Amino acid sequence: MIIAIYWFRNDLRLLDNPSFNQACRNTNFLLPIFINQNKAHDETPISQPKSSKLRKDFLEESLRDLRTQLKKLNSNLFELEGDFLQVFQDLQLQLDTRIIYCEEIQAEEELEQLDRLRDAGFEIRSLWQSSMIEPNSLPFDIADMPGVFTQFRLQVEKQKIKFTPPIESPTAIPPLPLITGIKNESSPLQVVIKDKLFYGGESKALYHIGQYFDRRLADTYKKTRNGLIGMDYSSKFSPWLALGCCSARTIANKLTEYEYEFGSNDGTYWIWFELLWRDYFRFLSFKTENQIHNKKNDSEEVSDARTNNYLTEFNGIKFKRWSTSYTGDSFIDAGMRELISTGYLSNRMRQVVASYWIYNLSGDWRVGAAWFKAQLIDYDVYSNQGNWQYISGKGLDHQGGRQFNIAKQTQDHDPNGIYQKLWLT
Ligand SMILES: Cc1cc2nc3c(=O)[nH]c(=O)nc-3n(C[C@H](O)[C@H](O)[C@H](O)COP(=O)(O)OP(=O)(O)OC[C@H]3O[C@@H](n4cnc5c(N)ncnc54)[C@H](O)[C@@H]3O)c2cc1C
């Protein structure tokens, strides 16, 4: 008789979730849980910016959707709060199991969590499942992976590396073990934001992907991807990808089917190209054994973004102006206003405001990255850190960073000031 816990982390879905499938196949009783670490963090007195309400809402919606789907298969999702180790120790007392299934996340805090659980005697059965391409399909050993994206891409393309097709949702889930005293519903959402663009959850993700391809937006992606206004200039897959409401393989599979039906073109190729960027930042974490997310990789003597007081001590006034959209540069301020108001920002504006923070305000990239982390509903540790490092020139790609000329960017992308007017009036 095998009783186990399934710990949903950044994989809030049933479709193409190999780790959850494995747990379903190999256990007799399974307790699906999510640990709300935002809530736990918010109670600690550190000066890491708190997650925005938009970010929390998107997560809550995603959890709700997952719970609904689990319930349809006679299971449930238990949302727990507090220190993750304590949560598992409490569950272990009730369930008499030390087996935890979960997805593997190759980032410092998340790896440390699994180490602490192993040290406490838990048996972790984890699977890597967040990239489009499997690490072991790469044409090189991950330790020898090129540190520059173009070289990485050329090798992947030259060898015609393909993704493994996504797997189906489980058709049955093992029954819940007998358990008492834990909350099984999250509190209702407090505020419904009427004009919100993104709603969390696997069903919303699959709907969004379907309509994106049905409306044939993929064909024009390359032409429109540097747009700033609206839902259609880019795919907007990122919020759902970030929480794992859908997998990159599901999108890649849809893209392949689409190309089969309508033919490939610049637009469809460029979506693949961007998904490959996403994989590249993930694989960098393996290559650098996660040091990429760590200050040990950075020789500058600035306060550590992972510890206390960096926001108050490091460039406090400049940070406040930048983060609250009062720099005085209206293009930058419009971008920062959009970020706070929606939890999303176009790739172009992310690059521009990040460059402004690093080069015009001489800010520490880690402070900027921490602000993005708190605001973005599509926050993803690999893509966020990777892109910030790329722009600041602190990553493996030592090409001296990418500084954007703000006046030129404004002229090129918002010549008539429509974007600025949209967010600043
Ligand atoms: C400073 C900075 C911080 C960023 N932080 C994040 C983050 O926390 N989470 C996140 O998902 N993306 C991040 N990005 C990458 C990119 O801006 C977003 O993925 C993209 O804007 C999301 O919108 P979309 O889904 O419409 O993208 P599309 O342009 O439609 O691209 C399709 C998908 O490809 C991937 N992708 C596209 N561009 C990139 C990129 N440069 N790096 C990695 N993957 C990419 C994303 O998964 C995206 O959903 C960051 C970029 C910068 C410059």
Side-chain angles (χ1 to χ4, degrees), residues 212 221 225 234-239 241-242 271 274-275 277-278 281 344-347 350-351 354 372 376 378-381 383-384 387-388 391:
Y212 182 81
Y221 172 76
R225 56 185 279 274
S234 67
S235 73
K236 307 295 189 304
F237 295 152
S238 59
L241 276 171
I271 294 177
E274 296 298 350
L275 289 171
W277 262 111
R278 180 178 178 274
F281 285 128
Y344 178 85
L345 201 56
S346 62
N347 185 56
R350 289 182 210 212
Q351 292 175 321
F372 268 33
L376 284 173
D378 68 8
Y379 168 72
D380 170 74
V381 61
S383 301
N384 194 48
N387 277 287
W388 274 94
I391 292 172

Side-chain angles (χ1 to χ4, degrees), residues 380-400:
D380 170 74
V381 61
Y382 314 98
S383 301
N384 194 48
Q385 306 276 332
N387 277 287
W388 274 94
Q389 288 187 324
Y390 183 75
I391 292 172
S392 65
K394 304 284 186 203
L396 286 187
D397 176 7
H398 289 298
Q399 294 186 26

Side-chain angles (χ1 to χ4, degrees), residues 149-167:
F149 173 71
T150 306
Q151 289 164 17
F152 164 82
R153 176 178 62 81
L154 288 175
Q155 288 202 43
V156 168
E157 289 180 347
K158 193 171 159 208
Q159 306 286 333
K160 298 193 182 348
I161 303 302
K162 296 273 175 255
F163 60 93
T164 318
I167 61 166

